[in-house]
Amino acid sequence: KAGVTQTPRYLIKTRGQQVTLSCSPISGHRSVSWYQQTPGQGLQFLFEYFSETQRNKGNFPGRFSGRQFSNSRSEMNVSTLELGDSALYLCASSFGTQVGYGYTFGSGTRLTVV
Amino acid sequence: GENVEQHPSTLSVQEGDSAVIKCTYSDSASNYFPWYKQELGKRPQLIIDIRSNVGEKKDQRIAVTLNKTAKHFSLHITETQPEDSAVYFCAASKSFQKLVFGTGTRLLVSP
């Protein structure tokens, strides 16, 4: 079966712009989580969605937002981009309601802000 | 909030040796502890996990141990092979609300 698909794979944006990243979970998976991965901070939790509802949110500014659609696909948006937002953004999906249990990660979107 | 510390940050071993990576968590209510392997340029992949009601779990050359009293858990890899070279992340979760990751250990296995 298809894995977790993230698009696009690479993005280059300018400071001040906004960006939207997409994540399609494994078929049947209803929980989608987003993580930011940087060399210095490792993997930091952004937020998690289940059945179109945000259930958990990490410690990121309000410029980071997300949503989930009825087909479980999820998008995250970053507005007013800063240089420090350059990172690999990973989404992970899981089948049940237990966040993190049996996560399957996507390949990520590498965002570069210049 | 929950914090997970991971050591060492880099580990070099010879092929056939054992490797041990240790993590310490701060929230005693944490009850799920997975380990992920991330090869260069690839996605993190779950390699083994353990719940708080179990003290040890093995899967072929990989084992994880959990000491709830000391709030630490460890990954043990025996008979290491060059393909084990990767970055390994531990994580902890309380009531499956989110995963808090350690900062990663870069394992290098030399032939």
Side-chain angles (χ1 to χ4, degrees), chain B residues 81-102:
Chain B
Q81 302 166 4
E83 51 265 39
D84 293 330
S85 296
V87 178
Y88 290 81
F89 292 95
C90 63
S93 172
K94 179 174 69 174
S95 302
F96 297 98
Q97 293 177 4
K98 64 179 181 181
L99 286 185
V100 177
F101 284 86

